Amino acid sequence: MIHYNVWFALKEGVGEESGLGIVDGFLRELCAAGEVSAYRLLKNTSEGARTKLPRYHAVIEFDDDEALSKAMKNQAARGIHTGGHGQIIGVVSEFRVEIFRVLTPEPTGATRYACEI
């Protein structure tokens, strides 16, 4: 399992509900297309100097390296400034990306947050 982590801030004047709605809509589209296996949107509640990361965090799951690579190639073919991704560019002012690989299996009985279609 690959976790694609994006910490981001919304542009000044972009409301939280509308900005996150655009991000959520894009990720739902990727789920519906089978390009993403699951995702979560999170908000950092720390203030000021307590954090160095942007306020919002998207954790996007891919089954493996091949799925991540395929999704990235598909997005490049669609264009990063068009469609849902282009809308995200319109509302996000800052972002940081890190990719993590799961090293340990999920505990017995754990429930994954999956795409709801």
Side-chain angles (χ1 to χ4, degrees):
M1 182 68 56
I2 305 297
H3 287 209
Y4 185 89
N5 294 267
V6 183
W7 289 267
F8 62 97
L10 297 173
K11 288 183 178 177
E12 192 168 324
V14 174
E16 182 176 84
E17 187 175 336
S18 63
L20 295 180
I22 289 170
V23 174
D24 184 63
F26 174 67
L27 293 172
R28 283 185 186 274
E29 286 176 14
L30 294 180
C31 282
E35 292 189 33
V36 167
S37 58
Y39 74 91
R40 262 198 177 159
L41 289 176
L42 307 167
K43 179 180 178 180
N44 185 344
T45 58
S46 294
E47 294 293 333
R50 294 186 67 188
T51 183
K52 293 184 176 158
L53 294 171
R55 172 132 344 256
Y56 304 101
H57 183 191
V59 181
I60 306 160
E61 293 184 11
F62 296 90
D63 289 333
D64 52 30
D65 290 322
E66 184 178 326
L68 172 61
S69 179
K70 182 177 179 184
M72 293 298 163
K73 287 178 184 173
N74 288 345
Q75 185 59 54
R78 288 188 296 264
I80 63 169
H81 296 284
T82 62
H85 196 274
Q87 289 178 330
I88 288 174
I89 290 172
V91 299
V92 168
S93 64
E94 169 187 5
F95 69 94
R96 295 182 184 162
V97 174
E98 298 288 343
I99 300 172
F100 292 82
R101 180 180 316 282
V102 174
L103 299 177
T104 59
E106 291 185 29
T108 304
T111 303
R112 282 185 60 216
Y113 178 85
C115 296
E116 295 178 23
I117 298 175

